[in-house]
Amino acid sequence: MKRLSPAFVELTQDALLKAFWYKPSLRIFLQQHGIAEGALAKWHTDQTKRDFVHWLWPQLVRDEKGQGVVLSMARSLAEMEHFPDLERKEDTKIRIPEAKEAIARLRKAVLSINETIRETKDAEQRRKASFEQMSAHIAAQQSIEKLAARLAEITPQLGTQEGGYQFERWFYDLAVYFELEARPGYVASGRQIDGALTIDGTTFLVETKFTATPIGSPDIDTFMAKIESKADNTMGILVSISGFNEGAKTSASKQRTPMLLLDHGHIFNLLLSGVMTLPQVVSRIKRHASQTGSSYLGATEF
């Protein structure tokens, strides 16, 4: 907390002395705000409340904890609307207006301090959020870089069975990186499924191809059969590192097509470069398929 100004401390002291006339009432107020019994014991019976407060105040404002006590008292005083002590005085018509005036001055100062504290907290939260965002970005970049490095490591195995297995696992890890609900490869009804993931409530079967040449229509037909054997709302994502020939794109595209096609352009130019997330890429191709019936939308056409 920023140190209270002498002017604010004086306003609080003035409001306190004018709001409470009788010692018992003031003592209870001080107790309620954490003034220790040891300090209150120093208040002698022949000592005025003004003299005691003048002694107490320097003890409080010398450290942060004590300043917090003063601020707490100031906030309580700023909320006062009635003055039971003063209502019992013969000169109540003089005392109450004086107390109200002192409280009004203090209330204005309290509102200013509260606003300053709020702005300080907001600034601190913004700094914290910015730091967390930067840290998350750095961590994400490191993870993206690791995924890119792993893909580069398996590239020499392009066209091999082992390379295909590695690429299948790599794509699953990519989906996990983007915090998607994903499932690694499994067998269902005797058919090998390379994986599955869920985006915006839609389940997608995943087929990965790590071939040295673009895939053709036979691979499309085989994967389409797997998709159509599942529930009506199931779709499929076919990921081919070497892309698709025109026959494959034509076979995959039809009215209300359930299949979306991704290739190296989507992987390198959009995902690994940090331009888009996997859910964004899939949603964009899905929207294109819904509008045109075409399963393929190249990365350069986004």
Side-chain angles (χ1 to χ4, degrees), residues 82-102:
H82 303 288
F83 308 91
D85 273 14
L86 305 182
E87 290 171 359
R88 291 182 283 166
K89 293 285 295 174
E90 291 182 358
D91 55 353
T92 183
K93 292 183 179 180
I94 297 175
R95 299 292 182 185
I96 289 181
E98 288 180 346
K100 286 185 175 180
E101 183 180 351

Side-chain angles (χ1 to χ4, degrees), residues 198-218:
T198 301
I199 299 176
D200 295 332
T202 299
T203 297
F204 293 86
L205 300 185
V206 175
E207 183 87 1
T208 57
K209 296 294 182 181
F210 203 60
T211 57
T213 57
I215 67 168
S217 299

